[in-house]
Amino acid sequence: MLDNKKVMVIGSGPIVIGQAAEFDYSGTQACQTLREAGCEVILMNSNPATIMTDPSTADQVYIEAMTLEKATEIIERERPTHLLATVGGQTALNLSLTLDEAGILEQYGVSLLGTSLETIRDGEDRERFKQRMIELHQPLPDSQTIETIEELENFMEDHGVPLVIRPAFTLGGTGGGIATTKEEARTLAMNGLQASPISQCLVEVSIAGYKEVEYEVMRDAYDTTIIVCNMENIDPVGVHTGDSVVFAPIQSISDRMNQLLRTEARRIVSALGVIGGCNIQFAIHPTEHRYFVIEVNPRVSRSSALASKATGYPIAKLATRLALGERLDDCINPVTKETMASFEPALDYITAKVPCFPFDLFSGCDRALGTQMKATGESMAMGKTLEEALQKAWRGAGVEQAPLYPSWMREATSEQLWKEITTPTDLRLLAMLALLDRQATTQDELAAQTSIQPLFLELFARLLTIRDSLDLTKPVSIQQAKRHGFTDQQIADLTGVAAEDVHELRIAHDITPAFQMIDTCAAEFVSTTPYYYGSWSGRTEVLPSNQQKVAVIGAGPIRIGQGIEFDYCSVHAVRALQRAGYETIMINNNPETVSTDFEVADRLYVEPLTIEDVVHVLEAEQCQDVLVQFGGQTAISLAADLEARGYQLLGTTSDTIDAMEDRHRFYDFLDQLDIKHIPGEEVMTVDALKKTVMVLGYPLIVRPSYVIGGKGMHILNDDAMLEALLPSLTFPVLLDAYIAGQEFEVDCISDGTTSYVPIIMEQIEAAGVHSGDSTMVLPPKSASAQLQNEIERISKKIGQHLLYRGAFNIQFVVTGQQIYVLEINPRASRTLPIVAKVTGQPLLEWAVKAAIGQKIELPSERIELSFHAVKTPVFSTLKLTHVDPKTGPIMRSTGETLQWTENGHAKERFVFDETTKRHMTKPAHTIAGHGTEAWGQAKPLGDFPVFDECVAFFSFIPEEKGLREQALAKGVHVITEQHLAEYYETVRDCASIPVKPLSEWMIKQKEWMKG
């Protein structure tokens, strides 16, 4: 054990496609475990939205850019004795390797905890991995490691195509893919060599069509190994596992093959010397008893979070204990508190994972799925049957089932549906259902065309059979439908009755859900951990208590516009409620998050966040009080239905929420308070829209209500743009005049009578860029004290009249001396975790106390800081082919970082991490596209048509979309807004700010306040 040692933990940085909230969960568990073991913990992570960077997680928290320079400064300052690199995803691994190669670890005497750097290199370096597998006599596809295009050409001479390109040391398959032609192979190889930090790719003969499975393995330093969980993709090799529907445990391979892969997985992990968690991916031949090794991740992975939540076995926590030198057979299983961690989990249920994609935000985006991951998040569900688990996970992911597949598929041609299948998209499984339903294909034909196992095609056929045999006069028919995942609403849609009638019929026949415990041991041992899933088989294991209780509704899967910040809010809400003496019930279906850690809330339910599923939980727990304001738009959208069913929404009402979403009511509210708002109307028809356009004039903003991330929002400049948009509009829509001013934002806390504005945020980019995609400075660096005071006054006035208790958010636009209110969000916002960390104030605690009606003493004036914090959006646009990186009213960023500065000028705004290698470097050029020549000192585009030596590209006209994509692929900062370009020019020669822990920034703030 390493008690009294100082351990530096490296996090994963901002959320990007391929590396999301799962590392917040694993990193948080690791930090807690280290501290419990007596270690002093130093955390480095640039992501301000996470629980991991909360001051309570580590002894010192450094919210700094994930670069060699910053990591070196932290090591020099803190002098850690050990480094933990395996819980922060690819970012942490790459940064740790960079520190080692630069000699920093040796210079400061820092040892690695757990898995060694040599083992990490064996798993991540494609050539070393290949050689180690050959030494172990493991079967691999024919392959070659390349560092030049010439080496690719030589490989293609011998093997032809198709080929798989796998860049080394990247996450989520970044830069790779399957090439079916030699030209595609050359393009992918060039991209892959660019994406790889060591300019290396593995080129291998394609085994697309093989079955893909994963094994999560744990090993201690004494060579005890267990298989925690095995999982299988519905999709064969060729679709990234992060983009595939996944079942756990494996359903469609023989026991003989399973035992073989278990043995080989343990042998590989043992030979590599992994200590802790490890993920191994295998490809199984479609018809023969043989396999290939695809990949070994010698770290806690994306799948580790899913495996942890699917089994109840906390992989990251136990992996950290193993890294500290403990043995598996000495660690108590935290779920059962009876068995040892060396007992392999056993499941008596099925877990399904369904990925969530951002395609609905991006028209024209290439939805084809391949080896490069495109999903932003995932939904998890458990059931007693494959059908039940899959249908629950589908609806938890927001997939339209009307009643089994999206309504448009009923009218689509067979050719349209086949297009979703032959080049697989996110809708391929639903399209298969639709084709089977109209008998336009057979299971055998689908198996031949897709290489999907017959078992899963039979699953789709069973769903159709159950649907067609539904008979409301027969209780056994209703019971069968429920056991296969059909909701009351689906049954109602199929039978032509109201959902309420189906509900009444169920109750009359005593057909109710059962909630059972996830205990890691299939009920073989006693377990008291209150971690539940719902099904329609067996007896319920829930015994509701008599304590005063509150249910907290989570935010569901990570998606653009609704990210990890709401998990932060949900976890803090649970903790605040517990401190206030309440029993807490957490309802969420995101396996990546801290909120679905069974040790956070008093009772955890992994269930879809639909009204029907949530009400089942509330009924089982006999809970009447619900908090929806910390779960983003997903939770807020349940408010009206919950209230209609008699549940109490703490801190708000559905009427207050509707008043802020309905444009007429919102404007009436502001008019009554004599507060200025943008001229606008809600319109119901095309004629009304055109009449309103004539009144408002151009430019104007068109958008729907009740959406997240600016989905469906457009800025229109003329009639031609309006006519082009009309066919895609769904009424009602909101029309607002567009005012090109400066945006400001506040997060407020209100107890119903008094409102507190902790700080004001200033948006660098002009109005029209979504606030989630903007650079925010806290407090403002250019706004006068008079303007800030007026924004604070207006905010407090709104809070006093809003009939709302808790946290809410207001957005403003300022032009000249006029302040307009753009939006009021009656819920916790995307920026609340940032404001809490920058101010050091317990804002979530105050918000929860206000919501439950407890008296709180709110400060009377906003906080003043002697420094500034800068929020930077981080984009995953490169992963989504044909998506323009130009910023606008629709949110595109997947995450954010935070920088500290004395004067509001943060050079680190343009420094990301060791994975992307995007640094602001002085020797490189800045290029100005057409119309951006006045934005700074950039050189004209015509002089520099190649982006290899370019650090930034200013561009905004539609015609340069291709150039923007090309620049982005080269690692160039693509800046599409003038104010941000001017900020870039201002800060590029600024000195970097020395690193300071979060606690020191807070001390500085307190000292300045006293002075």
Side-chain angles (χ1 to χ4, degrees):
M1 293 292 288
L2 297 168
D3 54 324
N4 300 320
K5 300 297 184 183
K6 183 182 281 193
V7 181
M8 180 171 169
V9 177
I10 301 180
S12 60
I15 301 298
V16 292
I17 289 176
Q19 189 168 269
E22 63 272 6
F23 296 108
D24 181 41
Y25 164 68
S26 60
T28 300
Q29 281 212 327
C31 289
Q32 290 170 344
T33 303
L34 288 168
R35 296 180 84 183
E36 288 167 3
C39 299
E40 183 180 350
V41 177
I42 310 302
L43 171 65
M44 177 187 188
N45 195 353
S46 60
N47 190 337
T50 66
I51 285 292
M52 191 180 185
T53 53
D54 201 65
S56 62
T57 302
D59 294 281
Q60 294 291 359
V61 175
Y62 285 85
I63 302 178
E64 299 285 351
M66 308 296 286
T67 64
L68 171 63
E69 296 79 9
K70 295 294 183 182
T72 301
E73 282 189 66
I74 294 170
I75 290 172
E76 185 175 12
R77 178 184 171 117
E78 292 288 348
R79 302 301 174 101
T81 57
H82 293 80
L83 180 73
L84 184 61
T86 51
V87 294
Q90 199 68 46
T91 297
L93 283 192
N94 287 1
L95 183 51
S96 300
L97 290 168
T98 303
L99 284 165
D100 183 55
E101 290 158 4
I104 303 301
L105 300 184
E106 182 179 2
Q107 179 183 347
Y108 291 98
V110 182
S111 303
L112 214 68
L113 269 189
T115 301
S116 70
L117 286 173
E118 290 309 298
T119 296
I120 291 169
R121 288 189 175 97
D122 285 342
E124 297 289 337
D125 184 300
R126 295 297 180 178
E127 182 59 29
R128 289 178 59 148
F129 172 69
K130 178 181 174 181
Q131 293 307 317
R132 290 307 307 272
M133 292 303 102
I134 290 172
E135 290 169 11
L136 293 171
H137 305 292
Q138 290 296 329
L140 297 169
D142 288 339
S143 64
Q144 179 181 329
T145 302
I146 67 164
E147 294 181 355
T148 66
I149 297 300
E150 288 72 25
E151 290 173 318
L152 169 70
E153 297 288 354
N154 293 335
F155 187 81
M156 288 195 293
E157 282 293 318
D158 295 332
H159 296 91
V161 289
L163 300 174
V164 180
I165 314 294
R166 300 184 188 277
F169 292 94
T170 63
L171 58 93
T174 299
I178 297 177
T180 56
T181 68
K182 289 186 175 182
E183 190 55 41
E184 284 181 2
R186 294 182 189 105
T187 301
L188 280 172
M190 285 190 288
N191 291 341
L193 292 172
Q194 172 75 26
S196 170
I198 62 170
S199 300
Q200 182 196 90
C201 290
L202 183 72
V203 180
E204 64 184 25
V205 173
S206 174
I207 52 172
Y210 278 47
K211 180 168 188 59
E212 186 166 357
V213 298
E214 296 183 66
Y215 284 73
E216 287 291 328
V217 191
M218 292 283 283
R219 177 182 179 271
D220 64 21
Y222 308 94
D223 207 27
T224 300
T225 59
I226 68 166
I227 306 297
V228 176
C229 184
N230 59 33
M231 296 166 277
E232 67 177 316
N233 296 356
I234 282 188
D235 294 294
V237 174
V239 173
H240 192 284
T241 182
D243 287 350
S244 180
V245 172
V246 173
F247 285 117
I250 293 173
Q251 300 294 304
S252 67
I253 67 172
S254 67
D255 182 62
R256 181 181 169 208
M257 177 58 78
N258 181 37
Q259 295 303 326
L260 172 63
L261 295 181
R262 281 173 52 87
T263 300
E264 296 307 315
R266 296 170 73 156
R267 198 161 73 86
I268 290 169
V269 169
S270 180
L272 290 177
V274 172
I275 299 174
C278 183
N279 170 267
I280 304 183
Q281 297 169 30
F282 295 104
I284 303 173
H285 191 281
T287 58
E288 302 173 16
H289 185 74
R290 59 191 181 93
Y291 71 93
F292 289 121
V293 177
I294 300 176
E295 199 164 43
V296 176
N297 291 306
R299 57 173 168 82
V300 176
S301 70
R302 179 187 317 103
S303 299
S304 302
L306 176 65
S308 293
K309 304 301 174 62
T311 62
Y313 188 100
I315 291 173
K317 172 172 286 191
L318 290 168
T320 304
R321 293 178 65 178
L322 301 186
L324 288 169
E326 291 191 60
R327 305 174 67 109
L328 271 168
D329 50 13
D330 285 338
C331 296
I332 297 289
N333 183 323
V335 177
T336 63
K337 296 183 173 61
E338 296 284 337
T339 61
M340 309 311 293
S342 53
F343 281 43
E344 290 191 353
L347 309 184
D348 54 0
Y349 51 86
I350 301 293
T351 298
K353 178 217 83 176
V354 168
C356 297
F357 297 92
F359 302 143
D360 58 337
L361 286 172
F362 306 122
S363 59
C365 178
D366 181 7
R367 290 175 33 247
L369 304 182
T371 60
Q372 181 166 293
M373 185 173 166
K374 295 183 176 181
T376 56
E378 55 198 29
S379 159
M380 181 180 78
M382 288 87 158
K384 292 296 189 185
T385 65
L386 285 167
E387 294 85 356
E388 181 177 39
L390 178 60
Q391 289 223 72
K392 286 177 67 178
W394 262 341
R395 64 179 179 266
V399 173
E400 182 192 353
Q401 292 177 272
L404 276 175
Y405 46 82
S407 54
W408 70 265
M409 288 187 178
R410 291 200 292 269
E411 310 299 326
T413 65
S414 294
E415 289 74 20
Q416 287 175 297
L417 296 176
W418 274 112
K419 283 181 181 178
E420 305 287 347
I421 297 168
T422 51
T423 300
T425 74
D426 54 308
L427 300 175
R428 64 216 177 280
L429 302 183
L430 299 158
M432 290 179 203
L433 259 172
L435 285 171
L436 287 170
D437 189 22
R438 64 176 67 175
Q439 299 182 344
T441 188
T442 64
Q443 293 179 55
D444 289 342
E445 184 182 9
L446 285 173
Q449 290 285 335
T450 66
S451 298
I452 289 177
Q453 293 293 300
L455 172 69
F456 301 125
L457 300 172
E458 180 61 33
L459 178 161
F460 298 152
R462 277 198 302 275
L463 285 174
L464 293 168
T465 299
I466 291 166
R467 181 202 66 180
D468 293 340
S469 62
L470 253 177
D471 186 346
L472 294 184
T473 66
K474 298 177 179 178
V476 68
S477 178
I478 301 172
Q479 181 81 65
Q480 183 187 42
K482 299 302 291 185
R483 287 180 175 177
H484 287 80
F486 286 84
T487 64
D488 289 355
Q489 187 61 58
Q490 282 176 290
I491 294 171
D493 292 342
L494 290 167
T495 56
V497 302
E500 292 78 9
D501 295 335
V502 177
H503 175 264
E504 294 300 326
L505 199 56
R506 274 199 304 100
I507 299 304
H509 294 298
D510 196 28
I511 301 172
T512 56
F515 288 96
Q516 294 168 339
M517 193 176 289
I518 297 170
D519 57 14
T520 79
C521 59
E524 292 180 27
F525 300 93
V526 174
S527 177
T528 58
T529 301
Y531 177 16
Y532 300 102
Y533 71 97
S535 80
W536 295 80
S537 303
R539 298 175 60 183
T540 192
E541 297 175 1
V542 171
L543 294 173
S545 72
N546 294 321
Q547 289 182 252
Q548 194 173 13
K549 63 190 73 170
V550 175
V552 178
I553 311 297
I558 300 291
R559 60 194 69 198
I560 290 177
Q562 187 168 280
I564 197 172
E565 61 277 356
F566 294 107
D567 188 63
Y568 175 93
C569 292
S570 296
V571 171
H572 270 281
V574 165
R575 291 174 178 173
L577 287 166
Q578 289 169 332
R579 286 191 291 269
Y582 289 82
E583 181 180 80
T584 54
I585 299 160
M586 185 73 224
I587 310 174
N588 202 1
N589 66 333
N590 186 340
E592 302 175 341
T593 59
V594 178
S595 67
T596 51
D597 181 346
F598 65 83
E599 292 184 318
V600 170
D602 296 294
R603 296 189 174 214
L604 169 64
Y605 288 82
V606 175
E607 290 292 291
L609 297 180
T610 68
I611 186 62
E612 198 168 315
D613 294 289
V614 167
V615 165
H616 288 325
V617 174
L618 298 177
E619 289 174 340
E621 285 287 354
Q622 298 175 13
C623 177
Q624 290 298 308
D625 293 339
V626 185
L627 263 179
V628 297
Q629 64 178 263
F630 301 105
Q633 202 66 34
T634 297
I636 286 290
S637 66
L638 299 174
D641 286 331
L642 285 169
E643 208 169 53
R645 286 163 172 78
Y647 296 99
Q648 180 178 348
L649 305 180
L650 297 178
T652 188
T653 64
S654 61
D655 184 67
T656 296
I657 295 168
D658 183 69
M660 296 303 101
E661 290 284 355
D662 182 289
R663 225 52 186 170
H664 284 302
R665 297 189 65 192
F666 175 57
Y667 288 159
D668 285 346
F669 171 78
L670 294 176
D671 288 341
Q672 290 170 17
L673 299 182
D674 195 26
I675 294 173
K676 295 286 186 182
H677 58 78
I678 302 294
E681 291 286 342
E682 181 177 71
V683 296
M684 308 298 291
T685 66
V686 172
D687 286 343
L689 184 151
K690 290 184 175 180
K691 288 177 182 176
T692 304
V693 168
M694 292 178 66
V695 174
L696 294 177
Y698 293 108
L700 51 81
I701 298 175
V702 181
R703 61 177 173 171
S705 290
Y706 291 94
V707 297
I708 58 174
K711 179 181 175 182
M713 188 179 292
H714 302 272
I715 297 176
L716 304 181
N717 295 314
D718 52 43
D719 287 339
M721 293 179 73
L722 175 60
E723 291 299 325
L725 182 65
L726 281 178
S728 64
L729 290 182
T730 302
F731 292 89
V733 296
L734 311 176
L735 283 182
D736 288 312
Y738 169 68
I739 295 179
Q742 186 175 18
E743 285 198 32
F744 295 86
E745 194 166 334
V746 295
D747 286 310
C748 310
I749 308 296
S750 175
D751 62 6
T753 55
T754 303
S755 291
Y756 172 53
V757 179
I759 202 168
I760 295 171
M761 293 168 274
E762 174 186 15
Q763 180 171 307
I764 294 293
E765 295 87 344
V769 173
H770 193 283
S771 61
D773 288 352
S774 71
T775 307
M776 290 280 195
V777 182
L778 302 74
K781 68 181 184 68
S782 63
S784 67
Q786 180 183 356
L787 175 60
Q788 293 185 60
N789 291 339
E790 184 61 12
I791 288 173
E792 181 180 13
R793 185 192 68 80
I794 294 171
S795 302
K796 288 184 173 182
K797 188 174 184 179
I798 288 171
Q800 289 165 358
H801 294 84
L802 192 56
L803 300 179
Y804 181 90
R805 302 190 313 274
F808 65 99
N809 170 272
I810 310 175
Q811 295 173 28
F812 302 85
V813 63
V814 177
T815 177
Q817 298 300 309
Q818 189 60 62
I819 301 173
Y820 298 96
V821 171
L822 281 179
E823 204 167 319
I824 300 173
N825 294 303
R827 56 169 172 78
S829 76
R830 184 181 304 105
T831 49
L832 189 57
I834 296 173
V835 173
K837 286 169 185 173
V838 170
T839 63
Q841 295 178 310
L843 301 180
L844 273 299
E845 177 97 17
W846 292 342
V848 169
K849 284 185 173 181
I852 61 179
Q854 288 192 356
K855 182 174 178 56
I856 51 175
E857 294 294 331
L858 291 171
S860 59
E861 296 180 355
R862 70 178 186 275
I863 200 164
E864 297 289 342
L865 301 180
S866 62
F867 57 88
H868 295 266
V870 179
K871 183 271 288 187
T872 294
V874 174
F875 300 84
S876 299
T877 317
L878 190 57
K879 303 285 184 73
L880 304 171
T881 316
H882 306 315
V883 172
D884 191 346
K886 185 180 185 304
T887 52
I890 298 175
M891 187 171 168
R892 281 168 155 72
S893 60
T894 51
E896 61 240 331
T897 64
L898 195 68
Q899 292 81 33
W900 308 92
T901 168
E902 301 287 350
N903 58 9
H905 294 149
K907 182 175 184 175
E908 288 80 3
R909 161 63 180 85
F910 301 96
V911 176
F912 293 151
D913 57 48
E914 285 301 313
T915 302
T916 59
K917 292 290 185 184
R918 290 188 196 158
H919 291 69
M920 176 185 275
T921 53
K922 287 186 178 179
H925 300 289
T926 302
I927 297 175
H930 295 294
T932 68
E933 293 84 358
W935 287 11
Q937 302 301 311
K939 300 181 183 298
L941 177 63
D943 295 345
F944 291 89
V946 181
F947 293 106
D948 293 303
E949 297 182 2
C950 175
V951 68
F953 177 40
F954 301 159
S955 171
F956 77 98
I957 62 172
E959 293 78 7
E960 289 178 351
K961 175 178 180 289
L963 286 173
R964 289 192 285 271
E965 293 179 20
Q966 181 185 336
L968 196 67
K970 293 287 187 179
V972 173
H973 294 287
V974 177
I975 297 175
T976 64
E977 200 276 337
Q978 182 172 355
H979 296 79
L980 184 61
E982 292 167 353
Y983 185 79
Y984 173 87
E985 292 288 337
T986 301
V987 305
R988 66 175 302 168
D989 294 322
C990 290
S992 293
I993 302 296
V995 298
K996 292 179 186 176
L998 190 56
S999 60
E1000 197 164 306
W1001 288 108
M1002 293 307 98
I1003 290 170
K1004 181 179 175 66
Q1005 174 249 316
K1006 289 171 184 174
E1007 288 176 347
W1008 190 83
M1009 290 287 288
K1010 288 178 183 177

